[in-house]
Amino acid sequence: MRSLPLPLALTARLTPVIVLACAGWALSSGPSDPGKAAAAKDTQKSRSESSEAAESSAPSSTAVTKTYGAAPAPCTSVAAKTVSSLVPAAKTAGKEIPSTDTSLRRTCSWNALKGYEYRWLDVSFELLESDEAAATSYEDRTTEKDGGGAVPGLGDEGYSVVNLTTEDKQQTREGTVVARVANALVVVTYNGSDFESKKAPSTDEINKGAIRAAKEAVASLKAAAVN
């Protein structure tokens, strides 16, 4: 048999080696390699888990919207003529009670003795984190002070109660009005005594006075939110 020229013979001998080498490279580096396929799958799973963890740990974009973010000045929440009517001889400027956080709670107080007649009026604004929290607080307060009734048209919901106490034969009648407006509570306390007769003012006088002050305080709260 005739011998092939050297270059052609060398090519013929090397061809099977090249083919096998290429096949081996394809098997070791292609997608059919079990080791690398598993590694790629693990990497993809890890990336997916990392993405899910990042999404779950990200802060929620839903924030509670509060209608009222700060308590208004309580000493100007009731008109001067109302103060003069409910608390005769009192300084209409009132006195604000110290608070640990005035952005959340503010209270103004008026009190005076005219002759033997004593009157005391407190107006407070309290702000909570949400309407739901305010509604819960409102329910708790009105449940504690049972025996009263609803006050229609006073905020989102309003409640009034009057109680009579006697100490050393001296009567004191006190009215409390609680009103909720969104996430805010307006609380009014109004009481009175007569130190000569030792009798207390009538339930009607105390109740109407407390509701009058509460209506003005609620209006002041709403006006502060608009401004």
Side-chain angles (χ1 to χ4, degrees), residues 11 39 49 59 66 70 74 76 82 91 96 100 139 153 180 201 206 223:
T11 301
E49 290 176 347
K66 296 194 293 185
T76 57
T82 298
K91 294 181 179 180
E96 185 161 356
T100 55
E139 183 176 358
R180 183 183 71 83
I206 293 298

Side-chain angles (χ1 to χ4, degrees), residues 198-212:
K198 293 189 177 295
K199 300 295 183 180
S202 69
T203 298
D204 189 59
E205 178 186 338
I206 293 298
N207 190 47
K208 287 183 177 179
I211 292 175
R212 177 180 175 182

Side-chain angles (χ1 to χ4, degrees), residues 134-227:
T136 299
S137 181
Y138 172 87
E139 183 176 358
D140 291 341
R141 288 166 182 260
T142 55
T143 299
E144 290 175 359
K145 295 182 178 296
D146 59 349
V151 182
L154 185 62
D156 294 321
E157 46 191 341
Y159 179 85
S160 174
V161 62
V162 178
N163 290 308
L164 176 67
T165 60
T166 303
E167 185 175 352
D168 295 332
K169 299 182 180 181
Q170 175 64 60
Q171 292 183 345
T172 299
R173 184 165 272 116
E174 179 172 285
T176 301
V177 176
V178 182
R180 183 183 71 83
V181 187
N183 66 302
L185 292 182
V186 177
V187 182
V188 172
T189 302
Y190 180 50
N191 63 44
S193 300
D194 185 327
F195 293 131
E196 183 177 32
S197 67
K198 293 189 177 295
K199 300 295 183 180
S202 69
T203 298
D204 189 59
E205 178 186 338
I206 293 298
N207 190 47
K208 287 183 177 179
I211 292 175
R212 177 180 175 182
K215 287 182 176 179
E216 292 187 12
V218 167
S220 178
L221 174 69
K222 293 180 177 180
V226 172
N227 298 329

Side-chain angles (χ1 to χ4, degrees), residues 107-127:
T107 301
C108 190
S109 180
W110 297 265
N111 61 85
L113 177 66
K114 184 176 181 180
Y116 294 100
E117 294 282 340
Y118 181 76
R119 297 291 184 274
W120 183 298
L121 174 67
D122 279 350
V123 174
S124 296
F125 294 103
E126 300 177 24
L127 303 186

